[in-house]
Amino acid sequence: MFAINSRSYLLPNVVMRMLFIRKISSSSSYITEFQSLLGNENVQTNDLDSFNQDWLKSHRGKSDIVLFPRNTNDVSNILGYCNQNNLKCVIQSGNTSLVCGATPWQNEIIISMKKLNKILSFDEITGVLHCESGCILQNLEEFVKQKQRLIPYDLGAKGSCMIGGNLATNAGGLRFIKFGPLHSNVLGLEIVMANGKILNLMNSMRKDNTGYHLRHLFIGSEGTLGIITKVSIICPMDYKFKKIFLVACENFNKLIELFQMVQEDFNENLSCFEMMDESSMNVVVENLRLPYPLSRSYPFYSLFELSANDELSLDQRFTKHYEKLVNKSIILDGTYANDSDSEKFHKLKSYRESISEGLRLDGCSYKYDVSLPLNVYYEVVNVMRKRLSSSLSSSNNVVRICGYGHMGDGNMHFNVTSKKFDQQILNQIEPFLYEFVAKNNGSISAEHGIGVKKRKFLHYSKSDEAIKLMQQMKQLFDPKSILNPHVLF
Ligand code: FAD
Ligand code: 2HG
Ligand code: ZN
């Protein structure tokens, strides 16, 4: 379980053998130690496949132990012990990371957050929810829905991802355009630091200007600075009526015009604006066997949601708007659903939300999650298509090249798939794509984070000075680098 020392290959065999013997004996001693700290039922040492394997099935770690803390004190005791004994850990919530951030890269101890799953309090007047960090997003959503509130973000992975994982990655998702990043909605956190000390940053006040805003450091820090154990988050009032629209356009410029017109006509009623190209739609139609949602296949689609309290006025406004879109040939076809028709509503949403799942069925996904200005937003897909088709032969087995994403936030999910992993395909994409993004002042990770997979490309989005400062912060918070040691840097 000790991290492999990068210089260990220099050691003579005999020393290596001694280290190996020490490792075995100390491994069993720390298992015993964890069992006495947490109870046998909260220490798992077999059937660890699902904990070692990332969601994309692109890497398998070699950990032989998963710990299940039940509360903040357990987390504190675990980290206190790990820090003292220099044991490396990886923090795992829903394990939906798309950048290998939540699974061991080598043989780190896995700390699963799934037992910290209590809702602690909810203030009916302010909408402030306090909960433990292992609460599953969908459970929180259902809880606050009963109070006519909503969680200010929404992800396709909501059935398994947890609020702590969402905060650690500063997840974006479908409602970002309306409610902004988690930084604007999270009021407080409780953190267990690498040395086991508990840092209480819980707070229910919207306004608090007493010194550095420390909680923001942990949001998006991908588990490298501390473990989030509790959260305080604002849940805005839910709208009484929601409508979801799926419309088709002839080309990407029409999608831009549509985005502009929807904003002009609906302003604050717009709660999501997503796009997908034909190839992305085909993923769900072919791999998940959903029927085409419109009368035929089209080059581009947008899925957008409008929310309001006055249904009649929303309907009237949309009827006028729809006529305008058709008359100006902005859209070619379309359909919609009210949230009162829950089945159709969720079915329409699933054309967008289940693309990742569909892509996974192709085999291997080469996944890119970038921010780009709208004038080059889809250009990246065109450029990469051209590059891949001219450089690769049919033996490279590319199944699909597609682009979809949170267009309203300038966030493109560019994906290539092949039946199995092919280094030549990867070499054609990286670092070329990151160079394109940097040249256009975008970000190489709009929402999924850097994890392990993208750490060598961090410099495309951050200056040397910024990376150095981040490393100094890591050194300050976690001097022995026991928390997610392979993530980010
Ligand atoms: P995990 O995957 O378990 O962990 C993610 C990272 O956070 C890891 O580095 C982990 O070590 C760290 N971490 C986890 N819990 C804690 C904690 N309590 N304290 C400190 N560090 C912690 N992302 C988006 O932004 N927008 C989307 O729309 C979106 N959609 C997705 C759809 C699908 C189908 C899938 C598979 C993934 C999607 N993701 C999306 C990516 C993923 O980042 C999010 O699903 C989610 O935020 C991860 O939460 P999780 O609980 O699974 O965390
Ligand atoms: C989404 O928006 C997720 O669906 C996943 O961020 C994107 O799988 C992807 O590329
Ligand atoms: Zn996304």
Side-chain angles (χ1 to χ4, degrees):
M1 199 61 59
F2 290 105
I4 295 167
N5 184 324
S6 57
R7 276 171 297 176
S8 59
Y9 65 91
L10 296 174
L11 296 172
N13 265 350
V14 59
V15 182
M16 284 296 283
R17 252 199 315 274
M18 280 167 62
L19 282 177
F20 188 58
I21 292 163
R22 241 187 73 209
K23 188 177 142 184
I24 302 264
S25 65
S26 54
S27 160
S28 53
S29 78
Y30 69 65
I31 291 175
T32 315
E33 180 67 27
F34 286 130
Q35 284 167 336
S36 76
L37 278 178
L38 305 171
N40 288 3
E41 66 284 11
N42 297 309
V43 178
Q44 189 173 326
T45 52
N46 47 33
D47 288 335
L48 303 186
D49 266 15
S50 62
F51 297 94
N52 270 310
Q53 178 80 78
D54 70 318
W55 189 87
L56 283 171
K57 299 192 170 45
S58 60
H59 180 79
R60 182 178 289 276
K62 291 193 180 71
S63 180
D64 52 13
I65 183 166
V66 184
L67 306 177
F68 297 95
R70 298 151 297 179
N71 50 45
T72 304
N73 279 340
D74 279 354
V75 178
S76 163
N77 289 335
I78 293 170
L79 289 194
Y81 182 79
C82 289
N83 197 47
Q84 219 167 38
N85 294 282
N86 207 9
L87 299 173
K88 313 285 179 192
C89 313
V90 64
I91 310 149
Q92 190 171 99
S93 286
N95 196 12
T96 64
S97 169
L98 297 174
V99 287
C100 276
T103 36
W105 193 242
Q106 294 171 347
N107 55 357
E108 302 90 295
I109 291 169
I110 302 170
I111 303 178
S112 165
M113 302 304 286
K114 69 196 308 177
K115 291 196 178 171
L116 275 89
N117 58 3
K118 286 192 264 323
I119 292 178
L120 302 170
S121 69
F122 180 76
D123 186 320
E124 308 256 350
I125 300 171
T126 59
V128 174
L129 171 75
H130 287 193
C131 66
E132 291 183 324
S133 64
C135 289
I136 290 181
L137 176 57
Q138 191 164 336
N139 295 347
L140 294 177
E141 200 174 281
E142 280 161 17
F143 174 80
V144 300
K145 199 175 160 67
Q146 294 162 16
K147 322 269 180 194
Q148 285 76 52
R149 300 266 174 178
L150 48 75
I151 301 288
Y153 61 98
D154 183 18
L155 314 182
K158 65 180 155 210
S160 40
C161 68
M162 298 170 189
I163 190 165
N166 303 148
L167 289 183
T169 55
N170 189 25
L174 269 62
R175 292 187 186 132
F176 191 98
I177 191 169
K178 172 93 181 135
F179 298 109
L182 283 166
H183 291 282
S184 22
N185 301 298
V186 170
L187 299 179
L189 295 177
E190 179 189 77
I191 305 287
V192 177
M193 305 295 289
N195 59 9
K197 292 217 168 105
I198 300 168
L199 176 64
N200 185 351
L201 303 172
M202 287 297 272
N203 167 49
S204 302
M205 295 293 107
R206 273 177 185 258
K207 299 182 85 171
D208 170 28
N209 273 348
T210 51
Y212 303 143
H213 292 204
L214 293 175
R215 69 179 180 282
H216 293 299
L217 272 182
F218 296 94
I219 300 175
S221 66
E222 299 188 51
T224 58
L225 300 181
I227 300 190
I228 301 168
T229 44
K230 288 190 187 130
V231 181
S232 155
I233 185 168
I234 308 171
C235 303
M237 287 304 290
D238 199 359
Y239 285 93
K240 294 204 172 81
F241 305 99
K242 292 195 196 78
K243 282 179 179 299
I244 200 124
F245 300 87
L246 182 68
V247 299
C249 296
E250 192 181 321
N251 56 47
F252 183 68
N253 285 339
K254 298 278 181 192
L255 274 186
I256 296 191
E257 283 183 69
L258 171 70
F259 180 40
Q260 195 170 0
M261 285 170 71
V262 173
Q263 286 181 93
E264 274 165 16
D265 287 355
F266 295 100
N267 195 8
E268 77 285 353
N269 300 114
L270 180 63
S271 36
C272 97
F273 192 94
E274 302 287 312
M275 68 76 65
M276 13 184 180
D277 64 9
E278 187 167 22
S279 177
S280 308
M281 177 60 84
N282 287 343
V283 177
V284 283
V285 172
E286 287 164 16
N287 289 1
L288 302 176
R289 310 223 172 277
L290 296 188
Y292 274 116
L294 303 176
S295 55
R296 64 175 175 87
S297 179
Y298 292 96
F300 287 93
Y301 301 86
S302 167
L303 181 104
F304 62 93
E305 185 187 68
L306 302 177
S307 318
N309 283 335
D310 183 345
E311 190 177 24
L312 192 64
S313 129
L314 188 65
D315 273 344
Q316 286 165 348
R317 280 160 67 202
F318 192 75
T319 310
K320 267 212 227 143
H321 180 76
Y322 196 82
E323 279 166 17
K324 200 161 73 177
L325 294 179
V326 174
N327 291 341
K328 292 192 169 183
S329 306
I330 305 289
I331 62 172
L332 302 172
D333 198 354
T335 180
Y336 76 93
N338 294 326
D339 63 343
S340 52
D341 179 356
S342 169
E343 200 183 319
K344 184 168 181 203
F345 189 87
H346 287 106
K347 206 166 157 194
L348 282 188
K349 238 178 139 183
S350 70
Y351 282 95
R352 165 64 187 85
E353 282 186 329
S354 53
I355 300 173
S356 314
E357 182 64 55
L359 286 168
R360 198 164 62 152
L361 297 175
D362 277 347
C364 172
S365 300
Y366 310 77
K367 206 166 261 312
Y368 301 90
D369 154 46
V370 300
S371 273
L372 281 170
L374 284 185
N375 61 340
V376 286
Y377 180 87
Y378 197 74
E379 183 67 6
V380 71
V381 183
N382 292 330
V383 167
M384 292 311 296
R385 254 199 199 118
K386 209 164 148 198
R387 179 175 168 87
L388 291 171
S389 66
S390 64
S391 60
L392 297 174
S393 67
S394 56
S395 64
N396 287 108
N397 281 323
V398 170
V399 177
R400 212 180 301 272
I401 299 171
C402 68
Y404 64 99
H406 315 288
M407 181 177 159
D409 314 315
N411 179 184
M412 157 62 68
H413 292 312
F414 170 69
N415 277 258
V416 178
T417 60
S418 63
K419 284 187 196 127
K420 48 187 186 2
F421 174 73
D422 183 334
Q423 186 66 44
Q424 277 183 333
I425 298 178
L426 192 66
N427 293 347
Q428 285 305 313
I429 306 174
E430 301 174 2
F432 181 88
L433 179 135
Y434 295 126
E435 281 160 10
F436 179 95
V437 170
K439 228 184 304 166
N440 287 290
N441 304 313
S443 166
I444 66 154
S445 171
E447 53 177 23
H448 302 159
I450 295 296
V452 176
K453 278 198 174 162
K454 299 189 176 157
R455 56 192 171 162
K456 68 176 184 211
F457 303 111
L458 185 57
H459 63 277
Y460 283 102
S461 281
K462 286 274 180 297
S463 66
D464 290 349
E465 293 72 29
I467 294 176
K468 202 159 165 207
L469 189 57
M470 294 198 316
Q471 283 167 334
Q472 284 167 349
M473 282 160 67
K474 170 74 176 171
Q475 173 68 21
L476 178 69
F477 282 78
D478 178 17
K480 294 185 176 173
S481 195
I482 64 158
L483 292 173
N484 285 5
H486 303 283
V487 169
L488 200 51
F489 304 113

